[in-house]
Amino acid sequence: SAVISQKPSRDICQRGTSLTIQCQVDSQVTMMFWYRQQPGQSLTLIATANQGSEATYESGFVIDKFPISRPNLTFSTLTVSNMSPEDSSIYLCSVRALSTDTQYFGPGTRLTVL
Amino acid sequence: AQSVAQPEDQVNVAEGNPLTVKCTYSVSGNPYLFWYVQYPNRGLQFLLKYITGDNLVKGSYGFEAEFNKSQTSFHLKKPSALVSDSALYFCAVREGHGSGNTGKLIFGQGTTLQVKP
């Protein structure tokens, strides 16, 4: 399995500010994804992070609000921009491992916006 | 469009009894099916998957799941529940390989498993 780390693990932010979440995986992976899990809810895919090109966003998510970078095969960042309390969620990085064709998840970043 | 349904918000079982967490799916092609578990304040941990082959799949921590194509179901089971199995369980589906397939996982709404001593 892939070992995934995320930073920060949690943060409390003020309305109108931005937070960048980092995701690092210990091996090369085919695909990287970012999910959001709102309180008491299931996971919703925000976007697929593409290496060296723009991310592919799901319906309801836009680049201006959630800019994503993936400069190489093992690292990605998600920025939550101009935050509001509605952005309070757990944000999870996920990767699809080349060797097992299975998707694994990082520990998540718990974001609270005041 | 792909979809996954977990009809029970919560399942309660006594320790030592068998447990079943239900999942049904809808996909247009061959399904890739997954179960994940989420403990409080943790990310998701992979339990098991069905891609092809035997309908009964064995996974981590003594869990297994049975793929039933006619009923489009992929129920999670364990012969003897432990209190430490108490957690939130997610079923997920991914369409099988094909042109344009991006490998996106679609998740069910989750089922809370409560195992009481």
Side-chain angles (χ1 to χ4, degrees):
Chain A
S1 66
V3 178
I4 306 165
S5 60
Q6 279 185 240
K7 288 194 294 188
S9 59
R10 59 177 61 228
D11 208 341
I12 301 173
C13 301
Q14 295 298 316
R15 181 196 298 262
T17 62
S18 298
L19 176 72
T20 296
I21 303 167
Q22 297 181 5
C23 175
Q24 178 76 53
V25 61
D26 68 341
S27 56
Q28 290 190 358
V29 293
T30 56
M31 302 183 81
M32 295 183 79
F33 306 90
W34 286 97
Y35 285 81
R36 181 174 74 182
Q37 185 178 24
Q38 293 178 301
Q41 305 281 323
S42 184
L43 282 76
T44 301
L45 180 63
I46 297 172
T48 302
N50 300 310
Q51 187 204 353
S53 64
E54 191 171 290
T56 304
Y57 289 85
E58 296 299 304
S59 175
F61 297 95
V62 295
I63 188 171
D64 289 347
K65 176 66 175 177
F66 297 102
I68 289 170
S69 77
R70 188 182 174 189
N72 58 52
L73 288 174
T74 62
F75 184 79
S76 177
T77 66
L78 167 74
T79 299
V80 186
S81 302
N82 189 24
M83 289 184 284
S84 68
E86 292 71 35
D87 295 319
S88 297
S89 292
I90 299 173
Y91 291 86
L92 295 128
C93 173
S94 178
V95 305
R96 190 157 136 198
L98 189 64
S99 58
T100 63
D101 198 25
T102 297
Q103 204 161 318
Y104 299 98
F105 287 80
T109 296
R110 184 179 293 271
L111 171 63
T112 302
V113 184
L114 302 177
Chain B
Q2 306 173 81
S3 66
V4 178
Q6 292 180 242
E8 303 153 316
D9 289 337
Q10 182 158 327
V11 170
N12 298 309
V13 298
E15 187 174 33
N17 283 1
L19 69 88
T20 299
V21 183
K22 296 179 181 177
C23 172
T24 59
Y25 66 89
S26 175
V27 298
S28 56
N30 294 321
Y32 287 17
L33 295 156
F34 302 82
W35 276 101
Y36 291 85
V37 59
Q38 187 177 34
Y39 296 99
N41 302 313
R42 301 276 192 90
L44 269 69
Q45 294 181 30
F46 168 72
L47 278 179
L48 51 80
K49 67 180 178 185
Y50 172 83
I51 304 294
T52 187
D54 288 342
N55 290 342
L56 185 63
V57 178
K58 294 188 183 297
S60 306
Y61 311 121
F63 284 94
E64 59 189 27
E66 186 167 11
F67 171 65
N68 188 316
K69 188 173 184 178
S70 63
Q71 296 184 5
T72 61
S73 67
F74 189 57
H75 300 331
L76 181 71
K77 300 180 180 184
K78 188 174 182 180
S80 179
L82 300 172
V83 172
S84 56
D85 293 329
S86 299
L88 182 58
Y89 290 80
F90 289 100
C91 181
V93 66
R94 187 178 103 207
E95 286 184 331
H97 287 296
S99 61
N101 175 264
T102 63
K104 294 187 296 186
L105 277 183
I106 304 299
F107 284 85
Q109 61 267 45
T111 299
T112 298
L113 174 65
Q114 188 73 38
V115 181
K116 299 194 175 176

